[in-house]
Amino acid sequence: MPLVAALAQLPPSAPAVLMLRHAEREPIVDRESGWHAALTDAGRAAAVALGRRLAPWSPAAIDHSPIPRCGATATSLAQGLRAEGCAVVPGRDLEVFSGPFIRELDLVLDSYLGMGNGAFLRAWFDDQLGQEVIQPARSAAADQLAGLADLLPAQGPYLGLVISHDWNIALVRDCLLGQRHEDV
């Protein structure tokens, strides 16, 4: 597991904050189901298992997007951590890790549904959608990074987990780390 291997490279006293996508969810079939798509049983089980694997980096705080599947993922991760005897700081729902970069939801949804996820993200990351529709990608990525930095304490050991969405993660990877979402 690359995540666990990366954490193993950190000094034992180092604090860390990780942004993770919510666990596997039910399909999103229309505009309304985007908010309510629940985790699958496999998604909940995977989040519990990941929590157990992250136990060596306890204590942990788990914050999340206000979208319900992110909160459910946080709950399952906490369950796995606690099963290993780890301390878990209760999480908060933080708007910065949902979609604060969306300025015109209907136009974003129309573009997303019309183009498909990959083409939509590329158009956004290449600033082809218009800033009246969605915040320019580099600026949105900087806001995501600032949100993560705000959660990093001055001293460790401590593991901060942020449960977010694939768009948020792809945004940071593509715009700040130079890893095109098409290649990852």
Side-chain angles (χ1 to χ4, degrees), residues 57-133:
W57 293 276
S58 173
I62 308 172
D63 296 299
H64 53 85
S65 158
I67 306 297
R69 63 184 165 271
C70 293
T73 302
T75 298
S76 295
L77 278 166
Q79 180 183 349
L81 284 159
R82 288 187 182 113
E84 297 297 318
C86 298
V88 179
V89 177
R92 301 163 291 168
D93 61 335
L94 300 174
E95 184 63 35
V96 69
F97 299 116
S98 62
F101 35 73
I102 297 172
R103 294 181 171 158
E104 290 292 336
L105 181 59
D106 288 338
L107 293 175
V108 166
L109 288 173
D110 288 344
S111 295
Y112 167 77
L113 293 171
M115 301 168 92
N117 190 55
F120 171 82
L121 288 177
R122 179 51 43 217
W124 177 24
F125 298 164
D126 290 345
D127 293 320
Q128 297 173 353
L129 297 177
Q131 61 182 327
E132 69 283 354
V133 174

